[in-house]
Amino acid sequence: MKKEIKLSVRDLVEYTERSGDIDDRFRNVFDRAKEGQKIHKMIQKEYDIGFLPEVTLKNTTLYKSVNYIVEGRADGIGIKNGKTLIDEIKSTTRDLEELEYNSNKYHWAQVKCYGYFYALDNDLEDIDLQLTYYQTDTKKIKFIRQNFTFEELKEFYFSLLEKYSVFTELITQHIKDRDESIQNLSFPYPAFRAGQKYLSQNVYSATKQGVDLMVEAATGIGKTISTLFPSIKAMGEDLTDKIFYLTAKSTLKKACNDQLYLMKQKGLIIKSVEIIAKNKVCINNEVKCNPNDCEFAKGHYDRVNKCILDMLENEDIIVEEIIKKYAFKYRVCPLELELDLSNFCDIVICDYNYVFDPVVYLKRFFEVPYLRMSLLVDEAHNLVNRGRDMYSYSLSFNQLMDCCDELLDDKKELKIKRNLKKIAKQIKDESLGKPVNTYKDLSVDLIDYCVRCKESMTKFLVEEKDKPYYDKVLDVYFEINKFLKISDFYDDSFVTLIKSENDDVIYNIMCLNTHNIFKNLLKKCKSNVFFSATLSPMTYFADVLGLEKFYNIRLESPFPKENLKVN
């Protein structure tokens, strides 16, 4: 068997270079898509010729009998002063004067990988690499530039592969053992129930062909095993890389795990992880993910790789109790641990929101073009309302004003207060004093005020973590941030509803149809299977779930009609 590892530059660097604490009290989120374009235009003037933004670089390297296929995207490649230059843009809230060459080895590791790939492909003896830091508060830019020889970059890159090789040995051996076990795996029950074989054949075919499938089948027919088993068989034939089993109910997650345990008893070698919500999986006294309030956050990245290796060596079907057990053993954050494990597991069992929600979805998978993913969506009819809720949100006049009342009148906080009041006034003005008012668009002024307010909050949230009203400001920040995220999707399938009630004004963005949003998400997966006992009419569910070209099957209930009793 050919040993091959595919991963992103981000993953390679993250697992070999990260260290220190988890601290999510506030991390300024850089909107790379929008801000990156603006910054690219500004720095493009610095180059002599041919500056190219967003350049995909890919490298295949044979190291210790393993082919490493590593891919990433450089922010820009161009020529300056007659030298090839690769530029990587990073946002920061730090004072630019504090940033020097060795300020962030993680950032340099990324751009060094790009430098090695490009120098190798273009036969360069040396290359200039640059980190462009954009200060989000002052809008100032600092360029830190360094020249590296090809040999320096090659030595560095191979040092990363050496560090990662401890994972590689486990991964490649597991894939070999997994695929052999899948080839020998038979359906884990003595016989198929009525309809199960037909369903399994269709799921396998959909995975093989890379198409979408909708299935309506009665409760009790055994849809879980009839979708999991063929998907796993397809994985053993190298037709898919990762399976996501999505459901909103804990009982159905347990049912999925139970089927995996059963197949394991029949000889299947597979690794799966269940993603559990933060407030449920947390083992700290309270959910505060920072080194001051949580011992598991302090030094997490110094210990987590050893924990992951231990689990990969000794665990297969990873559920909540196992995650907490190892988190206690290694004193690491269980939430971050389970997310890291999802990179190495064949099957990820999770709620719908980890795939479809605009705020919490697993970007690590949906921004990797080479990964072939298969979605199995259980009780898919529930995703309709859940999806609308994910892309609907509201801003409260009173919540904004309550936050204003907490803030002081110093220079930093006064700016936030002014911006919050502008948002609140805009909301009230658009209500026109009516109990209910509707629009088919979003206020451009409101979006502009929200963007300015978010920017003005950044410095406070980074520097004033000890303020007693910090959490209240942070909550409003996240409210505004989600509002802005959802506003990016606003089109004819949305409506704006402003309600005045109980001395408050609520500005609502309401998603009526998720078709366009889900369609773009589903395109990133190789195949998608939606199944439920209630998917009629299928044309309606296909529309709101984002399917355009799909197969559909309906399985008749195998149960005797005389068993039906209606009181």
Side-chain angles (χ1 to χ4, degrees):
M1 174 188 169
K2 179 181 68 173
K3 291 184 178 181
E4 184 177 278
I5 292 290
K6 293 181 180 180
L7 70 165
S8 66
V9 169
R10 173 189 173 277
D11 286 340
L12 176 62
V13 170
E14 188 171 271
Y15 284 101
T16 55
E17 298 296 287
R18 61 184 178 175
S19 62
D21 309 326
I22 296 173
D23 190 348
D24 74 348
R25 286 172 292 188
F26 180 74
R27 291 178 291 182
N28 182 36
V29 182
F30 181 52
D31 191 338
R32 181 169 175 162
K34 293 181 179 179
E35 292 295 337
Q37 292 174 4
K38 295 178 185 177
I39 297 171
H40 282 147
K41 289 179 181 178
M42 287 189 286
I43 65 176
Q44 191 170 8
K45 298 174 183 177
E46 298 290 322
Y47 300 92
D48 297 336
I49 56 172
F51 174 73
L52 300 174
E54 303 298 331
V55 180
T56 297
L57 297 169
K58 187 175 181 179
N59 174 265
T60 300
T61 295
L62 183 64
Y63 183 71
K64 290 187 173 180
S65 302
V66 176
N67 260 335
Y68 288 88
I69 302 172
V70 183
E71 185 174 328
R73 188 169 60 187
D75 284 333
I77 299 178
I79 304 294
K80 186 175 181 181
N81 300 329
K83 299 283 292 185
T84 301
L85 174 68
I86 295 183
D87 191 27
E88 187 69 10
I89 300 167
K90 300 295 181 184
S91 68
T92 184
T93 55
R94 292 175 61 182
D95 186 336
L96 293 180
E97 295 300 319
E98 298 176 4
L99 297 175
E100 302 297 338
Y101 167 64
N102 291 317
S103 297
N104 193 308
K105 70 173 186 176
Y106 178 84
H107 292 167
W108 276 109
Q110 282 183 276
V111 74
K112 282 182 180 180
C113 289
Y114 301 144
Y116 172 65
F117 296 172
Y118 192 84
L120 178 65
D121 291 344
N122 293 276
D123 198 26
L124 302 177
E125 294 184 0
D126 68 320
I127 191 170
D128 283 356
L129 306 180
Q130 179 171 282
L131 288 179
T132 298
Y133 283 104
Y134 172 74
Q135 219 289 343
T136 55
D137 186 46
T138 64
K139 306 293 190 292
K140 292 182 178 179
I141 295 175
K142 182 171 184 175
F143 304 99
I144 304 178
R145 185 170 177 173
Q146 190 85 6
N147 180 267
F148 294 89
T149 67
F150 171 76
E151 291 302 323
E152 287 175 326
L153 295 174
K154 180 180 179 181
E155 182 180 353
F156 174 78
Y157 184 67
F158 275 74
S159 74
L160 296 184
L161 297 183
E162 175 59 30
K163 292 176 186 177
Y164 196 82
S165 64
V166 64
F167 288 105
T168 303
E169 292 174 14
L170 284 173
I171 296 167
T172 54
Q173 186 60 48
H174 165 68
I175 292 174
K176 179 177 182 294
D177 296 341
R178 180 199 71 192
D179 290 351
E180 288 178 358
S181 77
I182 292 173
Q183 289 171 11
N184 298 320
L185 181 69
S186 300
F187 192 69
Y189 291 96
F192 286 98
R193 292 180 190 172
Q196 281 189 316
K197 187 172 185 179
Y198 180 63
L199 173 54
S200 294
Q201 289 171 336
N202 277 273
V203 172
Y204 176 85
S205 179
T207 308
K208 183 176 182 178
Q209 295 177 48
V211 298
D212 296 336
L213 175 68
M214 293 190 73
V215 180
E216 186 175 75
T219 299
I221 196 176
K223 294 189 289 293
T224 301
I225 189 62
S226 302
T227 52
L228 264 179
F229 173 70
S231 299
I232 290 170
K233 293 294 283 186
M235 178 175 280
E237 296 180 18
D238 193 29
L239 298 175
T240 188
D241 298 318
K242 192 175 291 286
I243 299 166
F244 284 85
Y245 193 95
L246 309 181
T247 179
K249 295 182 180 178
S250 298
T251 53
L252 295 177
K253 292 174 186 174
K254 182 180 182 303
C256 180
N257 283 316
D258 288 345
Q259 300 304 323
L260 291 175
Y261 284 124
L262 176 62
M263 286 186 278
K264 182 180 177 182
Q265 292 173 3
K266 301 293 183 179
L268 174 65
I269 296 172
I270 203 88
K271 292 198 180 293
S272 69
V273 62
E274 182 180 344
I275 306 296
I276 301 113
K278 179 189 283 191
N279 60 351
K280 187 178 179 184
V281 77
C282 181
I283 54 178
N284 194 30
N285 294 329
E286 55 183 331
V287 184
K288 288 193 173 182
C289 304
N290 66 78
N292 293 340
D293 296 312
C294 179
E295 63 174 295
F296 304 98
K298 188 173 180 62
H300 165 91
Y301 293 115
D302 298 326
R303 302 182 294 272
V304 70
N305 279 3
K306 288 183 180 180
C307 180
I308 293 170
L309 288 169
D310 191 356
M311 295 183 77
L312 293 178
E313 286 178 333
N314 297 293
E315 304 294 343
D316 295 317
I317 301 169
I318 301 171
V319 294
E320 182 178 346
E321 308 87 73
I322 294 174
I323 292 166
K324 289 182 175 180
K325 171 187 168 183
Y326 280 86
F328 270 116
K329 178 180 177 181
Y330 285 91
R331 319 307 286 176
V332 296
C333 170
L335 176 67
E336 291 297 326
L337 174 61
E338 66 185 8
L339 293 175
D340 279 345
L341 285 166
S342 68
N343 285 332
F344 299 101
C345 287
D346 310 302
I347 300 174
V348 179
I349 304 166
C350 60
D351 187 271
Y352 303 136
N353 62 338
Y354 290 102
V355 171
F356 294 100
D357 191 282
V359 175
V360 301
Y361 83 102
L362 298 171
K363 294 181 182 179
R364 63 183 68 197
F365 300 117
F366 290 87
E367 294 180 357
V368 179
Y370 57 78
L371 188 65
R372 300 169 300 171
M373 299 180 291
S374 298
L375 297 189
L376 303 178
V377 186
D378 199 351
E379 291 205 331
H381 66 279
N382 287 325
L383 182 55
V384 175
N385 286 334
R386 280 288 304 277
R388 289 182 185 132
D389 289 343
M390 289 173 192
Y391 290 86
S392 300
Y393 214 65
S394 59
L395 284 172
S396 162
F397 175 89
N398 284 349
Q399 184 182 12
L400 296 170
M401 296 308 296
D402 287 346
C403 185
C404 284
D405 293 341
E406 296 282 355
L407 292 164
L408 303 176
D409 287 332
D410 64 20
K411 184 178 179 180
K412 186 189 305 178
E413 297 183 28
L414 188 59
K415 187 175 182 180
I416 299 173
K417 288 177 72 169
R418 288 171 179 162
N419 284 321
L420 286 172
K421 287 179 179 178
K422 286 181 181 179
I423 297 172
K425 183 178 184 299
Q426 185 68 28
I427 288 174
K428 202 160 193 175
D429 288 349
E430 290 191 40
S431 73
L432 301 178
K434 298 179 181 179
V436 178
N437 205 9
T438 60
Y439 299 91
K440 283 298 293 179
D441 57 10
L442 274 179
S443 165
V444 175
D445 287 338
L446 180 61
I447 294 173
D448 184 53
Y449 294 150
C450 285
V451 170
R452 293 181 187 182
C453 189
K454 180 182 169 184
E455 291 176 351
S456 67
M457 287 175 150
T458 300
K459 194 172 183 65
F460 171 88
L461 291 170
V462 171
E463 298 177 355
E464 305 294 344
K465 293 182 172 67
D466 295 328
K467 287 289 180 72
Y469 44 89
Y470 179 87
D471 286 343
K472 182 172 283 191
V473 178
L474 184 62
D475 287 343
V476 173
Y477 174 90
F478 284 128
E479 295 277 347
I480 292 172
N481 186 56
K482 184 166 185 180
F483 188 88
L484 289 170
K485 278 185 177 292
I486 293 175
S487 72
D488 287 339
F489 296 94
Y490 200 102
D491 58 17
D492 291 341
S493 59
F494 285 76
V495 67
T496 302
L497 176 68
I498 307 175
K499 297 176 67 177
S500 300
E501 56 184 20
N502 301 324
D503 297 321
D504 195 5
V505 180
I506 310 297
Y507 190 100
N508 299 285
I509 299 177
M510 300 181 68
C511 179
L512 306 179
N513 189 340
T514 53
H515 174 86
N516 291 333
I517 300 167
F518 284 4
K519 176 184 70 175
N520 292 327
L521 279 168
L522 296 178
K523 284 179 179 178
K524 298 179 181 181
C525 303
K526 183 184 179 186
S527 66
N528 306 285
V529 180
F530 293 84
F531 52 101
S532 172
T534 50
L535 279 180
S536 294
M538 278 199 177
T539 51
Y540 162 76
F541 281 100
D543 177 62
V544 294
L545 294 174
L547 284 79
E548 294 186 329
K549 295 181 180 179
F550 63 95
Y551 293 97
N552 67 84
I553 60 173
R554 282 190 174 91
L555 302 181
E556 294 296 326
S557 174
F559 307 110
K561 291 182 179 179
E562 55 267 25
N563 288 359
L564 178 65
K565 181 178 180 181
V566 180
N567 293 324

